[in-house]
Amino acid sequence: MDLQLTDKVAIVTGASRGIGRAIAETLAAEGMRLVAVARSRGLLEQLAENRQDRCLVQAVDLSLPETPAGVIAASIAAFGTIDLLVNNAGATPRGDFLTLTDAEWHAGFALKFHGAMRLSRAAWPHLCASGGSIVNIAGIGGRTGSAEFTIGGTVNAALLNLTKALADRGVRDGVRVNAINPGGIATERLRTRVRALAADRGIAEDVAQQELARSLGVARFGAPEEIARLVAFLASPHAAYCQGAIIDADGGQTRTL
């Protein structure tokens, strides 16, 4: 299927590793020009290697209030347009609600929610001009509460509501806004959980991974590339009637409506 993305411009946050890295590589393979955003300059420069003038590196901290507008300005200066914004950056700590600090709550919202909100606001006029779209990477914790994931679940729920609100505005302005809720994806973050379980139970890591998957009610964990391909589809004209859609890509873990 030709996704008709060649030479379009995509901003991908959290692009240095994991799901964000897979999204950036998949969109580049579809012929898109990239603005790769993360804190880790070295990893971003590896991503940009051999892509010549088709990848702009932005090694910045999106939790700082002034940074998102700067990323948008740099993107326009480099490419003249923005066709897609993928808000993927932001990881939040797990833990007992009673032990999580105010600083951890502030940090969770500052990067994943406020960073996405500010980027969307700064990019909006350019997305209106290009007829572009936004894809927010939230997470199934925003739909199903969990005692050990209070920060992440709350931030994801806010991001999903923002998706719906911006999609409502986007009907009038010609900007499509959708979201993806990944479940358990085989990133380094998940591998860390698997290693901890293996050490705690005294079992091999592959056995621990199978047990963790079974405890979540899924047959396996997903690959970052599976999320990336969904992003590419949502960015394409083939998804032109998707507006305010929230797609659970979780292997069936979410069983509620």
Side-chain angles (χ1 to χ4, degrees), residues 94-157:
R94 292 176 174 272
D96 182 353
F97 167 69
L98 297 178
T99 67
L100 295 169
T101 66
D102 281 6
E104 288 171 316
W105 278 93
H106 285 303
F109 273 93
L111 179 54
K112 188 162 188 178
F113 181 78
H114 288 114
M117 177 275 290
R118 292 177 179 126
L119 277 169
S120 299
R121 184 173 60 198
W124 197 265
H126 306 290
L127 294 170
C128 290
S130 66
S133 66
I134 297 173
V135 179
N136 293 321
I137 309 300
I140 59 173
R143 286 168 49 84
T144 306
S146 169
E148 66 169 12
F149 197 54
T150 48
I151 295 178
T154 304
V155 172
N156 286 341

Side-chain angles (χ1 to χ4, degrees), residues 22-179:
I23 292 169
E25 291 176 341
T26 296
L27 296 179
E30 291 291 336
M32 296 192 80
R33 295 175 286 170
L34 295 176
V35 181
V37 187
R39 292 186 176 107
S40 305
R41 179 174 293 278
L43 293 175
L44 292 179
E45 289 178 345
Q46 290 175 14
L47 174 66
E49 191 174 6
N50 300 322
R51 292 196 163 94
Q52 300 170 351
D53 59 349
R54 297 184 64 83
C55 184
L56 173 67
V57 166
Q58 291 285 281
V60 296
D61 183 355
L62 288 172
S63 68
L64 301 176
E66 67 277 7
T67 299
V71 169
I72 300 305
S75 303
I76 294 299
F79 297 123
T81 188
I82 299 168
D83 300 285
L84 171 65
L85 169 61
V86 182
N87 288 310
N88 168 75
T92 53
R94 292 176 174 272
D96 182 353
F97 167 69
L98 297 178
T99 67
L100 295 169
T101 66
D102 281 6
E104 288 171 316
W105 278 93
H106 285 303
F109 273 93
L111 179 54
K112 188 162 188 178
F113 181 78
H114 288 114
M117 177 275 290
R118 292 177 179 126
L119 277 169
S120 299
R121 184 173 60 198
W124 197 265
H126 306 290
L127 294 170
C128 290
S130 66
S133 66
I134 297 173
V135 179
N136 293 321
I137 309 300
I140 59 173
R143 286 168 49 84
T144 306
S146 169
E148 66 169 12
F149 197 54
T150 48
I151 295 178
T154 304
V155 172
N156 286 341
L159 187 56
L160 294 178
N161 193 281
L162 179 67
T163 298
K164 288 290 189 180
L166 294 184
D168 189 34
R169 171 71 185 244
V171 171
R172 182 179 69 200
D173 290 351
V175 178
R176 292 188 302 109
V177 187
N178 298 289

Side-chain angles (χ1 to χ4, degrees), residues 138-244:
I140 59 173
R143 286 168 49 84
T144 306
S146 169
E148 66 169 12
F149 197 54
T150 48
I151 295 178
T154 304
V155 172
N156 286 341
L159 187 56
L160 294 178
N161 193 281
L162 179 67
T163 298
K164 288 290 189 180
L166 294 184
D168 189 34
R169 171 71 185 244
V171 171
R172 182 179 69 200
D173 290 351
V175 178
R176 292 188 302 109
V177 187
N178 298 289
I180 298 171
N181 281 333
I185 306 298
T187 63
E188 182 57 34
R189 191 178 185 199
L190 186 136
R191 285 188 284 271
T192 298
R193 290 182 66 191
V194 168
R195 285 193 291 268
L197 177 62
D200 183 60
R201 299 278 302 279
I203 55 178
E205 288 185 16
D206 60 336
V207 175
Q209 180 164 309
Q210 293 168 6
E211 288 196 6
L212 183 57
R214 280 196 298 270
S215 73
L216 299 175
V218 297
R220 65 173 178 88
F221 292 116
E225 292 75 18
E226 292 177 285
I227 305 302
R229 288 191 287 270
L230 270 178
V231 171
F233 170 72
L234 287 174
S236 78
H238 298 288
Y241 203 50
C242 292
Q243 179 71 308

